[in-house]
């Protein structure tokens, strides 16, 4: 049997949004990161979150607590391709 691993790309800086949109609280008291993590884990056996070096604080803690393994994309500022690599 294969294991399905989901990937949450969370290394962006949300420049146009003006603040980290993944930390934005939604109805129900959960952050957007926690909601995304729950939805991903609902359909995958395991999930990874790719975060930027600046996201190791609260965002990283919330994603870990939600059950995701973190990978830090050191070159995240180079764009989504660098985060995927």
């Amino acid at each position: 049997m294969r294991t399905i691993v989901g990937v949450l790309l969370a290394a962006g800086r949300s420049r146009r949004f003006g603040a980290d949109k993944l930390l934005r609280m939604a109805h129900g008291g959960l952050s957007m990161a926690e909601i995304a993590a729950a939805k991903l884990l609902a359909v995958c056996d395991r999930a990874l979150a790719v975060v930027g070096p600046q996201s190791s604080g609260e965002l990283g803690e919330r994603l870990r607590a939600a059950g995701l393994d973190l990978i830090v994309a050191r070159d995240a500022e180079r764009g989504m391709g660098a985060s995927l690599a």
Side-chain angles (χ1 to χ4, degrees), residues 22-72:
L22 290 173
L23 290 176
R24 179 75 171 233
M25 299 308 279
H27 297 293
L30 296 174
S31 68
M32 296 303 291
E34 292 164 311
I35 292 168
K39 290 185 179 288
L40 194 57
L41 286 169
V43 296
C44 297
D45 300 314
R46 180 176 171 228
L48 309 172
V50 180
V51 298
Q54 79 284 357
S55 300
S56 58
E58 183 181 356
L59 178 60
E61 290 172 18
R62 286 181 180 270
L63 291 170
R64 264 193 223 98
L68 276 64
D69 296 319
L70 293 188
I71 296 174
V72 177

Side-chain angles (χ1 to χ4, degrees), residues 13-21 24:
R13 292 188 178 232
S14 302
R15 287 183 192 109
R16 290 176 295 187
F17 191 73
D20 192 337
K21 61 186 155 209
R24 179 75 171 233

